[in-house]
């Protein structure tokens, strides 16, 4: 096993980063497997070493001096059970265009490396060249309006064609639209709340396959890890940390998207927000961010102008972990400590009631509403989006109006909830 080479096949032009040797990866695998040793503790130990490779040469006494409890240091040195599962990492690294990046070593993104809670391992599949280009996160609700989805696809495509890599979370709604738009003209990175081999939601499998050809799937979770609600807020810090700025398209006040925006600000990143229709509950999140100092953006050009200097700063030489000061940028949002429970239903495998659901009357919103905006939407546009004939739609539109879901207005129909 000591002769294994942890480097994927780069025959397709993928700029593969050399993996650390087996002893180094095993040393960090064992350390992260100790109960009570999380990302912050791991990074504090890393910052006390001359290099990540030095961990394999440490004695229990060395680790105690670096902050481990004596019983933890003794377990790391002697407990064979801590190596359990390492064969999964070894197997993953044997396949083309996939592998593991170790914090502090070649190929690991510097924008994450400087974070206090950087993931020690990043599992990837796809083209690592995506990590060498300027990045921008686009996030929002899973239940976004049709106009927001269209805007996201078009804007992501423009950003990707301009050389930006669009980062998002592979969820339904805005995330999927951002990936689709970007992959049509350039590269995108999907940060996952599952293992890199499990696509969630399953309907995004074909999208994920396209992403691996034109970008990258990233996860801090080992292969085989299924979706769990607690994974997604953790994933969100990687989305924001990987990006020079985060664009919020549509979001409820209490949502996973707003958590991502707060994390971005706390990490010293810019937060940009897209204003929406006043009657749309999913406009409240972006409008709240704008009131708190986020930069209002309406198109790709605004985003490019806002992120140009920040993206250039991300290309600076290597820094030591944790040395970057938190910046008070125009997009900064005051930290709010109570984040528990602020997750989007799309990212919650338990299917809890979504805080982003605009219809709060107790009845589930009819499917046709997903094709109607909070601004007047012409009937022919509704027919085009829903792939249904106008003659069939008119009766249903009338019923939705009578039930209080819609209002008829000059130019078409408007959602009211």
């Amino acid at each position: 096993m000591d002769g294994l080479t942890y480097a994927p096949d780069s025959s397709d032009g993928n700029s593969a980063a050399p993996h650390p040797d087996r002893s180094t990866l095993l040393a960090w695998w064992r350390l992260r497997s100790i109960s009570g040793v999380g990302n912050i503790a791991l990074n504090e130990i890393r910052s006390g070493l001359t290099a990540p490779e030095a961990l394999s040469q440490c004695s229990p006494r060395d680790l105690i001096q670096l902050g481990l409890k004596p019983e933890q240091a003794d377990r790391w040195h002697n407990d064979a059970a801590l190596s359990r599962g390492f064969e999964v990492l070894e197997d993953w690294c044997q396949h083309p265009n996939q592998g593991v990046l170790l914090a502090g070593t070649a190929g690991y993104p510097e924008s994450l490396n400087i974070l206090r809670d950087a993931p020690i391992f990043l599992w990837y599949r796809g083209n690592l060249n995506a990590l060498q280009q300027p990045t921008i996160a686009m996030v929002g609700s899973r239940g976004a309006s049709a106009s927001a989805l269209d805007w996201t696809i078009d804007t992501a495509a423009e950003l990707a064609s301009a050389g930006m890599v669009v980062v998002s979370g592979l969820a339904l709604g805005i995330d999927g639209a951002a990936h689709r738009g970007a992959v049509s003209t350039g590269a995108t990175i999907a940060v996952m709340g599952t293992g890199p081999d499990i696509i969630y939601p399953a309907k995004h499998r074909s999208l994920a396959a396209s992403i691996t050809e034109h970008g990258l799937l990233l996860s801090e979770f080992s292969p085989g890890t299924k979706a769990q609600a607690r994974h997604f807020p953790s994933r969100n810090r990687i989305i924001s940390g990987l990006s020079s700025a985060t664009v919020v398209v549509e979001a409820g006040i209490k949502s996973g998207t707003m958590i991502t925006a707060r994390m971005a600000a706390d990490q010293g990143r810019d937060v940009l927000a897209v204003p929406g229709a006043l009657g749309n509950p999913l406009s409240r999140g972006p409008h709240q961010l704008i009131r708190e100092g986020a930069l209002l953006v309406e198109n790709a050009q605004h985003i490019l102008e806002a992120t140009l200097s920040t993206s250039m700063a991300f290309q600076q030489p290597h820094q030591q972990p944790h040395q970057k000061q938190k910046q008070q940028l125009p997009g900064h949002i005051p930290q709010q400590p109570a984040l528990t429970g602020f997750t989007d239903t799309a990212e919650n495998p338990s299917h809890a009631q979504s805080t982003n659901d605009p219809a709060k009357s107790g009845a589930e919103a009819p499917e046709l509403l997903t094709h109607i905006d909070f601004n007047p939407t012409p009937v022919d546009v509704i027919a085009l989006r829903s792939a249904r004939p106008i003659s069939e739609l008119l009766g249903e539109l009338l019923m939705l109006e009578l039930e209080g879901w819609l209002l008829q207005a000059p130019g078409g129909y408007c959602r009211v909830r």
Side-chain angles (χ1 to χ4, degrees), residues 56 78 81 86 144 216 232 237 264 278-279 293 328 360 401 410:
S56 61
N78 297 307
F86 184 68
L216 202 60
F232 293 96
R237 87 187 192 286
L278 294 179
Q328 299 296 322
K360 285 298 184 181
E401 183 178 4

Side-chain angles (χ1 to χ4, degrees), residues 330-342:
H332 180 75
I333 306 160
Q335 183 175 8
Q336 300 186 24
L339 298 177
T340 304
F342 284 53

Side-chain angles (χ1 to χ4, degrees), residues 9-22:
D9 180 3
S10 59
S11 59
D12 62 353
N14 184 0
S15 178
H19 288 77
D21 59 42
R22 181 180 186 274

Side-chain angles (χ1 to χ4, degrees), residues 34 50 159 167-168 255 265-266 283 307 324 373 388:
I34 298 174
T50 56
L159 293 172
V167 181
S168 200
S255 66
D266 291 335
S283 297
T307 58
K324 183 175 181 180
D373 300 326
R388 294 168 61 183

Side-chain angles (χ1 to χ4, degrees), residues 38-44 46 112-119 237 267 321-323:
N39 284 315
I40 292 177
L42 289 168
N43 282 291
E44 288 176 348
R46 179 168 67 90
L112 290 181
N113 190 59
I114 60 178
L115 298 182
R116 185 167 177 253
D117 59 350
R237 87 187 192 286
Q267 291 165 341
H322 329 315
Q323 286 188 345

Side-chain angles (χ1 to χ4, degrees), residues 1-12:
M1 296 294 289
D2 290 333
L4 286 172
T5 301
Y6 294 92
D9 180 3
S10 59
S11 59
D12 62 353

